[in-house]
Amino acid sequence: MNSVHPPVLVVGAGPVGLIAALTLLQNGIPVRIIDKDHHPRIGQRGAGTWSRSLEVYNFLNVSEVNSLGKSAPPGRWYKPGTLEPLKYSPMVPHLEPTPAIPFHAFKLMGQQFLDVILRRHLEKFSCFVEMGTELRSFEQCDEGVTAVLAKNGISETFDTKWIIGADGAKSIVRKQLGLTFLGESRDDIQIVTGDIRLTGVGLDRVHWHLFGNFNEQGLSLRATDEIGEDGDGWQFFLYGRELDLTKIAESEELVFETIASLILTEITFKKVVWMSDFRANIRMVNKFSEGRVFVAGDAAHVHSPMGGQGLNSGVQDAFNLGWKLALVQKGLADKSLLETYSAERLPVISEMLEMTTSILDKATASGKLSAVQSPILYMLGINCRFSTVVLDEFVTSVERKPINAYGVLDEGHLEAGDRAPDASNMLQVGGAEPDTMTLFGLYRPWYHTMLVFAPSLADATLILGALEAYDKSVVRSAVILPSPASVTPVASPDLVLFDREGYAYSAYLVEAGQTKVFVIRPDGVIGAIVHGAEGVKKYFSNIFLDA
């Protein structure tokens, strides 16, 4: 270790901890990341990634999740006791990408593979996960946190400034903080899930195969090339009250027998690679932090696997926290900014628990494991319009409706606190060479991006002047013009983009003659929608010290 300790200790090196660490490292904050397991976890686990999380990976330059992740195969349901198809249905509706939503997709990538990819990105910053290292306890004061760690039976005292607990449902960080973890345990819902190697006559690798039903006994099989070799890898789920799932989870032989009883075809079983007995726990913390210590992901909330929102929500927790913690650690923002992490995530997670529990209840009531159809699951409507640090001068407080943090995306309505849309085919002008780019190509986790929509560069000048007071490393700007005629030949120090297809003006709901300013936070959320320079200053006064 360096003699100067990294200011952030991340406990838990699953995807949530890795995203927290990567966000901080990209912000220039050194991190130490530990995991109590001696070896990286194996298994597909929660393999589904929805649109909003794909955007997070994009902002972090982790392009592999989108490029290497697989689309959901179509579902094939079978008549009981046969290999005769009963129905075919997409497991997830197919949606075409648009200029505003380039990642309008659901991608499948097992957590084992995802962890490898994220660790490689950390290693670019010379940050390596310390496996077999356990957090035993910690004490915090106004200046920092002292953690007691253990590795190979040897204790270490480690002084740091902050701790992020991404250490799962049994989180030692959450327990030590004394946060409540209220909710319910659904003993009636039990699932055995895992990775298996097998081949079966008539069992193609093109479909997601579903046998039996959710209440009595059933099986889900999805082919994946991340497991095994020669096309014999699958992720499986066994469910139903007629199965003794606790017993099945203890025996590879019983897993083979149970699957064989549900699929009436000749099967060659090779190996159960990994499996786990899962019971539906639906719980969340009362707050996401206490002092200098935070929780994220399963350490903060656990829920039904229905809808595949769990890992996605944890990744978004970490991304919300990362940029705020970086600004505070750099001395650029007051510690009070960190209170907005809990304030912004609590309503989102609360509504997400309600929604995923509702999907679970429907499956239990009908006995059918149906395909997911709700657009809400793409997570593009998640917002923090209610946050104390967002500012919208175009929405009066009277207009503000009740909190609907987990809403369905409405592209005809845009407020501060919403996800910032993308826009493609933007032409960069005024530079040596004309260049095309996307708005998402501008947004990154270590700075705010101010978009000035203006009829001409002259109209934007005064607003751009307001940015001179801010550190260029944490605030950048771009002028969005509706037509090339409005560009003066004078070289501008700021990025000037011509919206030649009108995609940006359309997505941000700006009229051609209008001047409107959007401040995009480092997490891809619209922090402010304002008229001009004064609004920009007002927004940043809630973010930066001495702004």
Short mmCIF file of all heavy atoms in Angstrom, two decimals, residues 7 90 148 183 449 493 521 545:
data_model
loop_
_atom_site.label_atom_id
_atom_site.label_comp_id
_atom_site.label_asym_id
_atom_site.label_seq_id
_atom_site.Cartn_x
_atom_site.Cartn_y
_atom_site.Cartn_z
N PRO A 7 -8.37 7.73 -0.15
CA PRO A 7 -9.42 8.33 0.69
C PRO A 7 -10.75 7.56 0.70
O PRO A 7 -11.63 7.87 1.49
CB PRO A 7 -9.61 9.72 0.08
CG PRO A 7 -9.14 9.57 -1.34
CD PRO A 7 -8.06 8.54 -1.32
N PRO A 90 -41.78 -13.09 -27.32
CA PRO A 90 -40.53 -12.43 -26.92
C PRO A 90 -40.48 -12.33 -25.39
O PRO A 90 -41.49 -12.01 -24.75
CB PRO A 90 -40.62 -11.04 -27.55
CG PRO A 90 -41.75 -11.10 -28.52
CD PRO A 90 -42.66 -12.19 -28.08
N VAL A 148 -11.05 -1.76 10.55
CA VAL A 148 -10.23 -2.92 10.91
C VAL A 148 -10.49 -4.00 9.86
O VAL A 148 -11.63 -4.44 9.68
CB VAL A 148 -10.57 -3.44 12.32
CG1 VAL A 148 -9.76 -4.70 12.64
CG2 VAL A 148 -10.31 -2.36 13.37
N GLY A 183 -38.87 -4.83 5.82
CA GLY A 183 -39.55 -5.43 4.68
C GLY A 183 -40.09 -6.78 5.07
O GLY A 183 -40.46 -7.01 6.23
N THR A 449 -21.91 19.17 -17.81
CA THR A 449 -21.91 19.68 -19.18
C THR A 449 -23.05 20.68 -19.33
O THR A 449 -24.21 20.34 -19.09
CB THR A 449 -22.12 18.54 -20.19
OG1 THR A 449 -21.13 17.53 -19.97
CG2 THR A 449 -21.98 19.07 -21.61
N PRO A 493 -13.94 29.61 -28.22
CA PRO A 493 -13.21 28.71 -27.34
C PRO A 493 -14.07 27.54 -26.87
O PRO A 493 -13.56 26.53 -26.40
CB PRO A 493 -12.82 29.61 -26.16
CG PRO A 493 -13.87 30.68 -26.15
CD PRO A 493 -14.25 30.89 -27.58
N ARG A 521 -25.71 16.77 -15.29
CA ARG A 521 -24.86 16.31 -14.20
C ARG A 521 -23.89 15.22 -14.68
O ARG A 521 -24.12 14.60 -15.73
CB ARG A 521 -25.69 15.76 -13.04
CG ARG A 521 -26.71 16.73 -12.50
CD ARG A 521 -27.38 16.35 -11.22
NE ARG A 521 -27.58 14.94 -10.92
CZ ARG A 521 -28.24 14.48 -9.85
NH1 ARG A 521 -28.79 15.36 -9.00
NH2 ARG A 521 -28.39 13.20 -9.63
N LEU A 545 -18.86 24.75 -3.61
CA LEU A 545 -18.53 25.73 -2.56
C LEU A 545 -18.16 27.05 -3.24
O LEU A 545 -17.53 27.05 -4.30
CB LEU A 545 -17.33 25.24 -1.74
CG LEU A 545 -17.60 24.11 -0.75
CD1 LEU A 545 -16.28 23.53 -0.25
CD2 LEU A 545 -18.44 24.61 0.42
#
